[in-house]
Amino acid sequence: AQSVTQLGSHVSVSEGALVLLRCNYSSSVPPYLFWYVQYPNQGLQLLLKYTTGATLVKGINGFEAEFKKSETSFHLTKPSAHMSDAAEYFCAVKGWGGSYIPTFGRGTSLIVHP
Amino acid sequence: DVKVTQSSRYLVKRTGEKVFLECVQDMDHENMFWYRQDPGLGLRLIYFSYDVKMKEKGDIPEGYSVSREKKERFSLILESASTNQTSMYLCASSLPSIQETQYFGPGTRLLVL
């Protein structure tokens, strides 16, 4: 079965520091890649997605992610963390076998210290 | 602005009760999904529907059923609630395309006593 791995269930950074959340997927076939964010007591909302074209994708709130086919990765970054970035982040992949049902990673909780 | 709404934010039920969770979307989406979210396990797909009256089992359908009588509404039914069904339940909808984003409701936090 295809899988999505998010390294680290919790990532802790200081305010102003670089944010790096890792996502790797199990297939070398270029899929469609998504990052979602979930703020406390809310549903998920789209942060950014890669479908085709430029491999560096910019999203909302200053986040961006780079699709690296050779590494089967889609890591999420932000140059400078804000307290408001504290949330759960989910990587998702679609397109394996033509399916439009996404496979989600288990999520990474981002903790931002003042 | 697109919207997915869920009938309750918080729900407390007794073991053995029949529980209905309702989800409504206003985007005319063909696809609708029910997930449960548990700490450390991420999102697990319970059921999805790709059209009115059509449904497919997801990864963890046991103990659940669904109903989709109208395009905008997708209901999750717990036939006989059990304590291991205590969880956060998330509804989502999307257009029927690989590239399309899923839109999520705010979730229902269900406690079964």
Side-chain angles (χ1 to χ4, degrees):
Chain A
Q2 307 292 357
S3 64
V4 178
T5 302
Q6 291 184 237
L7 196 62
S9 58
H10 294 83
V11 169
S12 182
V13 300
S14 298
E15 194 172 18
L18 172 72
V19 175
L20 171 61
L21 304 181
R22 299 177 188 274
C23 174
N24 288 86
Y25 56 94
S26 62
S27 171
S28 61
V29 175
Y32 297 91
L33 303 159
F34 303 77
W35 275 101
Y36 289 88
V37 60
Q38 184 182 33
Y39 297 105
N41 297 315
Q42 295 185 29
L44 281 69
Q45 63 184 84
L46 182 72
L47 206 50
L48 50 79
K49 67 178 178 181
Y50 169 80
T51 54
T52 58
T55 56
L56 182 63
V57 181
K58 295 188 184 300
I60 61 171
N61 301 336
F63 284 92
E64 61 183 36
E66 187 171 11
F67 166 53
K68 292 187 176 181
K69 180 181 174 182
S70 60
E71 298 177 9
T72 60
S73 71
F74 191 54
H75 301 331
L76 182 71
T77 60
K78 182 175 181 178
S80 176
H82 294 152
M83 296 295 291
S84 60
D85 293 327
E88 189 89 13
Y89 292 80
F90 291 92
C91 180
V93 178
K94 289 168 74 173
W96 284 318
S99 173
Y100 51 70
I101 298 172
T103 299
F104 283 89
R106 292 194 172 193
T108 297
S109 180
L110 177 65
I111 301 160
V112 182
H113 297 287
Chain B
D1 199 16
V2 298
K3 206 157 192 181
V4 178
T5 56
Q6 295 184 229
S7 51
S8 303
R9 292 300 304 273
Y10 301 94
L11 214 50
V12 180
K13 296 291 181 181
R14 298 276 178 197
T15 301
E17 279 192 78
K18 192 168 186 176
V19 182
F20 294 86
L21 302 183
E22 300 250 302
C23 174
V24 178
Q25 51 97 2
D26 65 359
M27 296 164 282
D28 203 34
H29 285 168
E30 285 81 0
N31 295 348
M32 295 188 75
F33 307 80
W34 274 106
Y35 294 93
R36 67 176 280 176
Q37 181 181 14
D38 300 288
L41 298 179
L43 274 70
R44 292 181 290 168
L45 183 64
I46 305 172
Y47 269 97
F48 71 96
S49 169
Y50 51 91
D51 203 347
V52 175
K53 297 189 185 295
M54 306 304 288
K55 60 186 179 184
E56 293 286 343
K57 292 180 180 179
D59 300 318
I60 52 164
E62 297 77 20
Y64 303 95
S65 62
V66 290
S67 173
R68 192 162 180 205
E69 297 295 319
K70 292 185 178 182
K71 190 175 185 179
E72 67 272 17
R73 189 179 298 269
F74 192 35
S75 301
L76 179 69
I77 303 151
L78 285 65
E79 298 291 343
S80 178
S82 64
T83 55
N84 62 14
Q85 291 178 311
T86 291
S87 187
M88 169 73 98
Y89 290 88
L90 292 168
C91 175
S93 72
S94 75
L95 289 168
S97 167
I98 287 175
Q99 301 185 45
E100 290 297 328
T101 303
Q102 282 186 310
Y103 294 88
F104 285 82
T108 295
R109 193 168 292 280
L110 173 66
L111 173 61
V112 182
L113 300 173

